[in-house]
Amino acid sequence: MSRDSGDNLNRNRSANLPMADVMQAHLSRRSMLRGSLGAAVAMIAGAGLGGSLLAQAASPTLAPTRPTTANGKPVRLDFTSIPGSRTDACTLAAGYSAYVLAPWGTPLNDQARPWQADGSNTARDQANAMGMHHDGMHFFPLDGRSDDGLLAINFEYIDPAALHPHGPTSTADGKRPAEEVRKEINAHGAGVVRLSKRNGRWQVIDNDPLNRRFTTASRMLIAGPLRGSEHVKTRYSPDGTHCRGTNNNCGNGYTPWGTYLTCEENWPTIFVNKAPLPADQARLGVATSSGQYRWESAAGDASEAQDEFARFDITPRGAGAADDYRNEASTFGYIVEIDPYDGQALATKRTALGRFRHEGCCPGRAEAGKPLVWYMGDDSNNEYLYKFVSSARWDPADANPHDRLATGAKYLDHGTLYVARFDADGSGVWLALESTSQTTDGSTLGTRFGDLASILLNTRGAADAVGATPMDRPEWTAVNPLNGDGYVTLTNNSVRTPSTVNAANPRGPNRHGHIVRWHDSDDQRSFTWDIFVFGGNASGAADINRSGLSELNQFASPDGMRFDSRGVLWFETDNSETTLTDYTNDQLLAVVPTQLLDAAGQQVPIDASNQADLRRFFVGPNGCEVTGIAFTPDNKTLFVNIQHPANWPSSERATDVTAPGHSVRPRSATVVIQRDDGGEIGTA
Ligand code: FEO
Ligand code: CA
Ligand code: CA
């Protein structure tokens, strides 16, 4: 999400931004115990050493598990890190090849014409084809196979200049044309596409009955505490049980019962509210003069059906909620569950997991008899890290249910949403967001906000009230399958200042981002944490290059991230920091965290002594963000997405450079990466 999308502005007006003197007091106490007061003060002053100090203070409590392969050998990366690249092509590690699959506009069925290079595809075509700006995704095998399956995928946002023949237009009276608006609505959302590997090459299976699209107009179910509440009643659904559409689907998650979770991120600006904003809308950033794409301006068009455009103007106008769309925005901002194996089931908004600018939703390890857990970032400056803990305990018999969405209701509609407070001593607390929760001003969330539905509606406000730690734009989360450690990418924070740093976000401003790691207690109420790696440029000062990175792994703005089943951590970048853009386009890096151990066998962060184990595997074309990552069960196919490239792809071979002077209509696409010898991706 780096171009033409929603904003990541700081809307946190809470008092949860600690002053530097408070930070210094914390650090001074701890550092005196460690006999290193000078280093702590130096960190506060931004003069160096700080990152590793903090990280080392917390790391000894993290689990030291060593990963092993089936033959008992430790997992090790066996590719050579590649240099940066700034071309209209993908580059990748030696011994691998990459090709383009299912770019924007690829038909999913016969309702769509083939993609037209002149931009002339219709709204109907777009509703039956791959959407724009591929993002999070997950591979769901058919019959457990690694050569046949379903790719569930997000289409985050649109580039109107590329979507239409000559960019977006308006009519003489300033309205957007209905057909253009419908095409834009249909280019957003998510999809499921059947893929099959034939003669060694993955292909889209056109017209497969499981191929489908979910757009910003698709009928959906509302489930969980908001279902049927006053907050989600609309003229479309007066009983508050259904809604239309999903939007700005960024990161993703999945469940142990075979469903996909798509996350609604920068949706608030597709709406406009010209009346004073209620607290939740102000906290989330709903637009106040016009929607981002002015979809509302097509209202009243002779072809309009069921208020398809009017619903984006949420200004209260009727006698009550069932008479207008004042609550339309309250049906967005959720985790949405999709059953990829059922071509008819409605997508379902799981409101118990909170309402904010959801980035990703990674599950913890599923262990029989224990609650299930999902971790979630809220990507804006100074927002929070959340987790949801199910009330039901995991029954492995639910892994292959007859009705997947009923299983979803069991685990995702009842539970507790928590928000993280990172304390400076390397410990942390998960603060429950429920009506009895104490607020920092001595009240309770129930008193401040009302019932659970009302608390969840304004999740950010509730998190402010319990004293959560403002983070540097939490993007994706990932969980190490070998030991359960959680990781979150903190992409950057341009508005953090030296006076508002905290222990988990120690740079102000933070232009390069970092990755925080934690390990939860058995009761899910607390955790220990450290900073796993700091983004930075190799030539940066000590306070910038805190992890001792070299040219071969320097990065900034970590974003997409996942562990594969072997315990390799892969992360992607969405960077605009010039000390890195001058060297390389966005990229995919890999590291095996459980191989980074000290002499006592404890996990340690990345630092100058072990940084060579963080390796650059792939670099995308000019202008793009590398995002979305999925593996087949055998780890022999890796899918990544190229989002918003500038002048790519020019052929099916992802590594072909677009000829100088030649312009292509850019298409976001999935890139398939395979090892030339047919082996597993990345490891020996
Ligand atoms: Fe859509 Fe936060 O990236
Ligand atoms: Ca991003
Ligand atoms: Ca992202």
Side-chain angles (χ1 to χ4, degrees), residues 1 8 135 156 250-251 265-266 359 379 473 475 559 574 625:
M1 196 291 297
N8 310 102
D135 206 313
E156 187 186 15
C250 193
E265 188 196 14
N266 288 314
E359 177 75 23
D379 179 14
R473 292 186 51 200
E475 298 248 25
D559 190 341
D574 174 16
E625 158 186 356

Side-chain angles (χ1 to χ4, degrees), residues 76-379:
R76 293 200 186 281
L77 301 180
D78 70 344
F79 65 90
T80 302
S81 196
I82 61 172
S85 171
R86 297 169 63 200
T87 68
D88 288 315
C90 299
T91 62
L92 73 170
Y96 291 83
S97 55
Y99 55 90
V100 175
L101 184 74
W104 157 56
T106 302
L108 299 180
N109 59 54
D110 287 344
Q111 303 294 307
R113 290 181 301 150
W115 180 78
Q116 305 292 307
D118 63 1
S120 64
N121 286 95
T122 64
R124 184 173 187 240
D125 290 338
Q126 185 59 79
N128 293 282
M130 294 292 282
M132 212 171 202
H133 286 8
H134 301 34
D135 206 313
M137 62 182 159
H138 191 78
F139 181 84
F140 293 89
L142 288 165
D143 299 326
R145 299 173 67 108
S146 287
D147 61 358
D148 196 5
L150 302 165
L151 190 71
I153 184 167
N154 293 345
F155 304 114
E156 187 186 15
Y157 68 100
I158 58 169
D159 174 358
L163 184 66
H164 304 298
H166 307 290
T169 66
S170 295
T171 59
D173 57 358
K175 296 183 178 232
R176 295 291 318 283
E179 168 71 8
E180 276 187 23
V181 172
R182 284 196 194 98
K183 186 174 179 184
E184 293 174 12
I185 287 170
N186 293 344
H188 283 84
V192 176
V193 55
R194 170 88 181 274
L195 301 180
S196 189
K197 195 175 173 188
R198 297 185 178 170
N199 299 319
R201 195 175 176 93
W202 287 94
Q203 301 174 13
V204 170
I205 305 303
D206 202 2
N207 287 310
D208 189 275
L210 294 177
N211 287 355
R212 67 189 299 201
R213 279 295 318 282
F214 303 86
T215 74
T216 306
S218 303
R219 181 171 171 83
M220 300 190 176
L221 274 171
I222 299 174
L226 270 292
R227 179 181 174 83
S229 74
E230 294 302 316
H231 304 297
V232 291
K233 292 179 177 174
T234 63
R235 190 164 133 115
Y236 174 75
S237 181
D239 65 358
T241 57
H242 291 76
C243 60
R244 277 180 284 186
T246 187
N247 182 269
N248 253 268
N249 305 73
C250 193
N252 72 284
Y254 54 94
T255 70
W257 55 91
T259 60
Y260 183 65
L261 302 177
T262 183
C263 311
E264 299 178 332
E265 188 196 14
N266 288 314
W267 52 273
T269 47
I270 64 172
F271 298 103
V272 59
N273 187 351
K274 294 174 181 169
L277 298 184
D280 65 291
Q281 291 180 17
R283 193 65 182 74
L284 286 159
V286 166
T288 55
S289 58
S290 71
Q292 182 179 1
Y293 305 113
R294 295 197 304 116
W295 290 342
E296 73 281 0
S297 74
D301 185 88
S303 68
E304 184 179 22
Q306 283 196 300
D307 305 321
E308 62 183 307
F309 310 123
R311 72 189 183 103
F312 294 104
D313 184 340
I314 62 173
T315 310
R317 290 198 166 86
D323 302 304
D324 59 24
Y325 290 95
R326 70 186 63 183
N327 287 336
E328 189 73 359
S330 302
T331 67
F332 285 78
Y334 299 109
I335 299 297
V336 186
E337 186 178 20
I338 288 172
D339 181 355
Y341 297 104
D342 182 334
Q344 304 301 319
L346 294 184
T348 301
K349 304 227 172 180
R350 297 294 182 196
T351 64
L353 281 72
R355 175 170 177 256
F356 43 91
R357 293 187 186 230
H358 274 287
E359 177 75 23
C361 191
C362 182
R365 294 190 299 180
E367 297 180 59
K370 295 187 177 177
L372 296 178
V373 174
W374 286 265
Y375 300 100
M376 302 171 283
D378 179 357
D379 179 14

